[in-house]
Amino acid sequence: MAYLDGKTVFLTGGTGSFGKRFVKMALKDTQVKQIIIYSRDELKQFEMQQWANSPRLKYVLGDVRDAYRLRRSLDGVDVVVHAAAMKQVPASENNPIEAIRTNVIGAENVINAAIDCGVKKVIALSTDKACNPVNLYGATKLCSDKLFVAANGLVKEGSTKFAVVRYGNVIGSRGSVIPFFLNIKKTGRVPITDTRMTRFMITLTQGVQFVFDCLDKMEGGELFVPKIPTMNMMELKEAVAPDA
């Protein structure tokens, strides 16, 4: 975490679950110079500003699809944490070009802007679904991972370094399985695609701490995967919604 001391950090998708926890932990546990929260939803930025209004924070409206806006916004940035993505599996299946524009072309835009602006380190968030993907969301994140790892070959030694962190389901994050089960169990039925299905589980704090640790140790080109526990969906259902 000491790596962030005195640095300016650019956080894409900064108003999401990961971004909010990252901001809280970075402001509390590091001497980060500034965190630029880059996202496209003005309402979420307004809501976040109600509790996160430190002088070390700067809010910038923008989309990772917008290469020009990224280049302008990355001026003077030391570290990029790329958390912006389309993450919902059904939404990606039904709107494939939108997932590609955000998760793949957006990744390319972040890479090019970071190189052009002389950013020191870029770390991108991935997902366990990118391993042998069977859906479009996983496929787009696999493409994104490949882009970030390969980006190290586009720069000379000692320039911008790129790495990826890949972990599983963040317990309690927006749209994830546990809040979904908790919300829908009142209907008496919980949908499970396959009784054999498992998910890797990690807490939000563990996920952010993992990114801090990887920023400290990355040399460029790594795809970091933590060892985390798995849960069978039927067992999770019994724990969360035993009466459904």
Side-chain angles (χ1 to χ4, degrees):
M1 293 173 68
Y3 180 77
L4 294 182
D5 291 351
K7 302 290 195 306
T8 296
V9 179
F10 188 83
L11 179 61
T12 73
T15 56
S17 300
F18 173 89
K20 291 176 181 177
R21 186 61 56 87
F22 181 96
V23 166
K24 283 183 179 179
M25 292 176 63
L27 291 178
K28 177 178 178 290
D29 300 328
T30 78
Q31 297 301 314
V32 65
K33 180 180 178 180
Q34 185 180 55
I35 302 174
I36 301 171
I37 298 163
Y38 184 85
S39 68
R40 62 185 183 181
D41 191 321
E42 60 181 315
L43 177 59
K44 290 177 184 174
Q45 286 200 8
F46 171 77
E47 291 171 345
M48 188 169 173
Q49 284 177 304
Q50 305 313 301
W51 60 266
N53 57 0
S54 165
R56 290 190 286 167
L57 296 180
K58 179 181 179 181
Y59 291 84
V60 175
L61 282 170
D63 196 320
V64 293
R65 300 181 183 191
D66 188 338
Y68 180 82
R69 178 66 166 163
L70 274 172
R71 283 189 177 92
R72 284 288 177 264
S73 303
L74 279 174
D75 186 43
V77 168
D78 302 298
V79 177
V80 171
V81 178
H82 179 48
M86 262 187 71
K87 301 181 178 72
Q88 291 293 318
V89 171
S92 296
E93 293 296 312
N94 295 328
N95 305 274
I97 193 62
E98 297 301 308
I100 291 167
R101 285 172 177 156
T102 297
N103 296 352
V104 181
I105 297 173
E108 181 190 23
N109 290 340
V110 169
I111 290 165
N112 289 333
I115 293 173
D116 291 347
C117 295
V119 172
K120 297 295 186 293
K121 288 187 177 183
V122 179
I123 197 157
L125 271 60
S126 185
T127 169
D128 53 350
K129 294 184 180 72
C131 181
N132 296 323
V134 295
N135 53 55
L136 186 74
Y137 167 54
T140 59
K141 292 303 285 184
L142 176 61
C143 289
S144 172
D145 294 354
K146 297 287 188 180
L147 286 169
F148 279 104
V149 171
N152 290 280
L154 302 176
V155 294
K156 62 183 180 181
E157 188 174 350
S159 187
T160 309
K161 297 177 180 179
F162 298 87
V164 176
V165 296
R166 181 186 287 176
Y167 50 74
N169 189 80
V170 178
I171 298 173
S173 62
R174 289 184 314 180
S176 62
V177 63
I178 293 177
F180 175 65
F181 278 5
L182 287 171
N183 184 58
I184 205 171
K185 69 177 184 178
K186 59 190 175 186
T187 67
R189 296 177 64 85
V190 172
I192 294 176
T193 308
D194 192 310
T195 57
R196 300 168 298 174
M197 184 166 53
T198 62
R199 286 306 313 269
F200 291 95
M201 293 290 189
I202 190 170
T203 68
L204 200 50
T205 297
Q206 289 172 333
V208 173
Q209 185 61 54
F210 186 60
V211 170
F212 286 154
D213 295 341
C214 293
L215 276 170
D216 280 341
K217 67 180 66 172
M218 63 177 278
E219 296 294 334
E222 302 93 344
L223 197 160
F224 295 102
V225 181
K227 290 186 176 181
I228 53 179
T230 62
M231 296 182 188
N232 175 272
M233 286 297 98
M234 294 301 291
E235 294 176 351
L236 180 65
K237 175 263 172 195
E238 287 303 314
V240 175
D243 297 326

